[in-house]
Amino acid sequence: MCGIVGFTGRENALPILIKGLYSLEYRGYDSAGIAAFTKEGLRVVKTRGRIANLEEKIREVGCDMECTCGIGHTRWATHGEPSDRNSHPHLGGKGKVAVVHNGIIENYKELRERLEAHGYEFKSETDTETVAHLVDYLHTGKQEDLAKTVLAAVQRLRGSYALGVVSMDNTQEIVAARRGNPLVIGIGEGENMIASDITAIISRTRKFIILDDNEVAIVRPDEVIVMNEFGDKVEKEVQTVNWDMSAAEKGGYQHFMLKEIMEQPKAVTDTVTPRIKNNAVCFEDNGLTDERLRDIENIHIIGCGSALHAGMVGKRVIEAMCRIRCSAEVASEFRYENPIIGKKDMCIVISQSGETADTLAAMRLAKQAGAFTIAIVNVVSSTIAREADGVLYTWAGPEIAVATTKAYSAQLAALYLISVKIARVRGLISIGDERALCAELQRLPECVTEALKCQPDMQRIATLYANRPSVFFLGRGLDYAAALEASLKLKEISYIHSEAYAAGELKHGTISLIEDGTLVVALATQPALFEKTVSNIREVVARGASVVLVTTDDFTGDESVCQHIIRLPKCLYEFSASLSIIPMQLFAYYVAVERNCDVDKPRNLAKSVTVE
Ligand code: F6R
């Protein structure tokens, strides 16, 4: 949801800003721009399209963009279509102030009217331009007071923001502010940066500060001053990134998505291994004590998109293993439906980015109602991770492709760990059972590696069906949860319409859509349900569907009705969703490649959804 970057130092800022923007492009990519202090003053170059278009425009404009301080933005449109004039940065007043913004200013209309009444002319339809004019309006023009002005301005804003602001009054200074959207400050030697996330600063420095809600920072080449909402200086902890650049590079793969699919055995290993000691699940993670986990009455799992789908798998595994009532809920619904949350309830919040606005709001609601909150999060020190009572990090490493794969797999692994732990502390499984389950968990990465061997088959099948207008995914129980994720993967990157159905439910209406040649992918990894799913396959075959069956090595049902069969290695059936998703990710990937889609940056999407 928009990426912002800023640099102030001694070197030419332009290539640093562009590089930063490239690494933030996954956050939004419908337009991009930069503002920098050049010999000619505060220059803004911005354009609809990708960062590459911006680079081209900078060359075309031909202005001397030699500068040592500037800000940049890559946009995911919320207010106003993607266009040159709606791109950021936006200038305030007569071009003295420039602003980049991630978030939504909810009261922008009323502010705009008031500023227009003061003679301000708006050039865009965005909410952000309001901030630029407001800062200009409040700015008295003294060198030292841009930060105070921004502080005064943000107090008039409703909504969410991460802001980068520069003013002609101090051409080496960036003022940053945050409420509800992520912002980090990279601490370098004689240079400092601001960015929406660490990937944009890591090529310059590994040290960073996280700006908290309502804080404002003054960022200059040799100092960073952070103030709270009262303008008082606050001391911030300087943290260090523990992964390197190569983790955020393609490493020879054509797309990040394929690289990340292939990294899944490692993501699962890194999530599971540190949490199994002496054949038992052992959480040294913040807040996850045995006492806390023993007394739970109900569990609410909350997430959006794939994180929700991981939660739907988790719900089934937890209910089967722990016999606790567990629901998996859409965060954006949960937050507005006055949910029934007891003081002894636990809320498991799942988010790769740790910044998803709906998930964060749902978590805050659950916390307020007295529930114990555990976050399963990939991005260290993200807002959800910091606000939850307990955190279980998925050590999947940076995930760059917009469509999640390895973070999803790591989320499943984290849910299995929680499930085994709860079952044990509640006395539902013996030490021996726990040992066996841990052995299965430790074996899971090998099974994922084995499952990845279906890659050539999935590539071939994808080529055969890449032109289908619609694909159905069917499954029961855990396979239904996996089918939902399979369907999301396909539609988000290949733009093929697809639906996931509980296999037994299709005949209650939707089966009318099945016709000659419709592709149906059936997932059947639960031995107890093999026959039931085969019956449902027969129903669609009778109506002309072509069927791809994804099942296990020990499938005993009648496969003769299926065009293609993918056999997965055998693992404990509770963990089977970790394997059945592998061919589905590969199928979606190769269909998208076959259709020449932009796999890593699908249209209309962004990786981190920080707006409602
Ligand atoms: C799909 C996908 C999205 C995210 C969802 C939640 O491939 O990536 O559906 O899962 O937007 O994002 P996080 O996990 O960051 O909260």
Side-chain angles (χ1 to χ4, degrees), residues 444-458:
L444 197 55
E446 270 171 53
C447 297
V448 175
T449 306
E450 197 54 37
L452 282 165
K453 292 189 180 152
C454 70
Q455 184 185 3
D457 288 333
M458 294 325 294

Side-chain angles (χ1 to χ4, degrees), residues 74 80 84 149 294 311 375 546 585:
T74 177
D84 289 3
T149 308
R294 192 174 297 128
S546 312
Q585 294 167 341

Side-chain angles (χ1 to χ4, degrees), residues 304-307 350-354 356 402-404 411 488-489 492 609:
C304 302
S306 299
I350 308 179
S351 175
Q352 185 284 130
S353 62
T356 303
V402 165
T404 182
Q411 288 162 357
L488 179 63
K489 284 283 91 70
E492 71 182 317
V609 186

Side-chain angles (χ1 to χ4, degrees), residues 70-106:
I71 51 179
H73 188 267
T74 177
R75 179 170 187 248
W76 186 84
T78 58
H79 294 64
E81 53 163 13
S83 64
D84 289 3
R85 70 193 179 95
N86 286 335
S87 310
H88 301 212
H90 289 283
L91 290 171
K94 298 212 159 34
K96 204 173 150 191
V97 171
V99 173
V100 286
H101 169 220
N102 169 206
I104 288 185
I105 307 302
E106 287 165 4

Side-chain angles (χ1 to χ4, degrees), residues 361-487:
M363 182 182 83
R364 286 178 177 160
L365 182 81
K367 256 187 110 165
Q368 245 171 24
F372 172 58
T373 53
I374 292 185
I376 297 180
V377 169
N378 196 41
V379 176
V380 175
S381 297
S382 53
T383 310
I384 291 175
R386 283 181 295 139
E387 290 193 17
D389 298 310
V391 190
L392 202 68
Y393 281 115
T394 47
W395 298 115
E399 192 179 59
I400 310 293
V402 165
T404 182
T405 52
K406 64 174 178 171
Y408 168 81
S409 285
Q411 288 162 357
L412 292 185
L415 285 160
Y416 303 154
L417 286 163
I418 292 177
S419 187
V420 173
K421 184 68 176 176
I422 296 176
R424 178 70 197 124
V425 294
R426 288 166 78 94
L428 287 158
I429 55 169
S430 65
I431 294 181
D433 295 334
E434 185 179 25
R435 181 178 306 127
L437 285 164
C438 286
E440 281 295 318
L441 272 174
Q442 284 168 316
R443 209 172 65 82
L444 197 55
E446 270 171 53
C447 297
V448 175
T449 306
E450 197 54 37
L452 282 165
K453 292 189 180 152
C454 70
Q455 184 185 3
D457 288 333
M458 294 325 294
Q459 182 166 13
R460 186 175 48 81
I461 295 171
T463 315
L464 292 175
Y465 295 101
N467 62 357
R468 295 295 150 110
S470 180
V471 178
F472 287 79
F473 292 86
L474 304 185
R476 289 170 177 261
L478 287 168
D479 291 324
Y480 171 50
L484 286 163
E485 176 58 8
S487 170

Side-chain angles (χ1 to χ4, degrees), residues 88-254:
H88 301 212
H90 289 283
L91 290 171
K94 298 212 159 34
K96 204 173 150 191
V97 171
V99 173
V100 286
H101 169 220
N102 169 206
I104 288 185
I105 307 302
E106 287 165 4
N107 58 336
Y108 83 101
K109 263 198 170 152
E110 110 203 15
L111 288 170
R112 182 171 172 144
E113 277 162 22
R114 293 182 68 174
L115 287 158
E116 278 171 341
H118 281 275
Y120 282 92
E121 273 175 37
F122 281 73
K123 297 193 169 64
S124 76
E125 299 151 89
T126 64
D127 51 342
T128 307
E129 196 180 354
T130 315
V131 183
H133 290 314
L134 182 62
V135 170
D136 179 82
Y137 173 68
L138 297 171
H139 195 22
T140 61
K142 287 191 209 123
Q143 259 204 11
E144 295 298 314
D145 78 358
L146 180 64
K148 293 231 164 78
T149 308
V150 171
L151 204 54
V154 295
Q155 274 152 18
R156 289 166 167 83
L157 304 180
R158 280 204 313 273
S160 64
Y161 55 80
L163 292 168
V165 183
V166 291
S167 151
M168 281 301 289
D169 288 325
N170 189 342
T171 58
Q172 277 298 303
E173 180 182 280
I174 302 168
V175 172
R178 163 202 165 136
R179 187 201 296 153
N181 290 101
L183 200 64
V184 297
I185 301 174
I187 309 293
E189 299 284 328
E191 63 180 46
N192 292 308
M193 292 185 75
I194 64 163
S196 295
D197 81 29
I198 290 160
T199 53
I201 60 164
I202 194 165
S203 65
R204 307 289 303 177
T205 177
R206 303 174 75 80
K207 293 201 181 123
F208 68 98
I209 285 172
I210 293 176
L211 207 61
D212 282 306
D213 275 354
N214 301 318
E215 289 179 342
V216 168
I218 304 169
V219 182
R220 299 181 182 130
D222 294 305
E223 65 175 348
V224 172
I225 301 165
V226 179
M227 299 183 293
N228 62 20
E229 58 193 306
F230 300 106
D232 302 325
K233 213 170 143 180
V234 285
E235 285 309 317
K236 301 291 290 183
E237 183 197 350
V238 177
Q239 305 187 33
T240 308
V241 193
N242 58 6
W243 44 265
D244 59 26
M245 270 306 280
S246 65
E249 284 166 358
K250 277 193 205 144
Y253 286 95
Q254 195 189 344

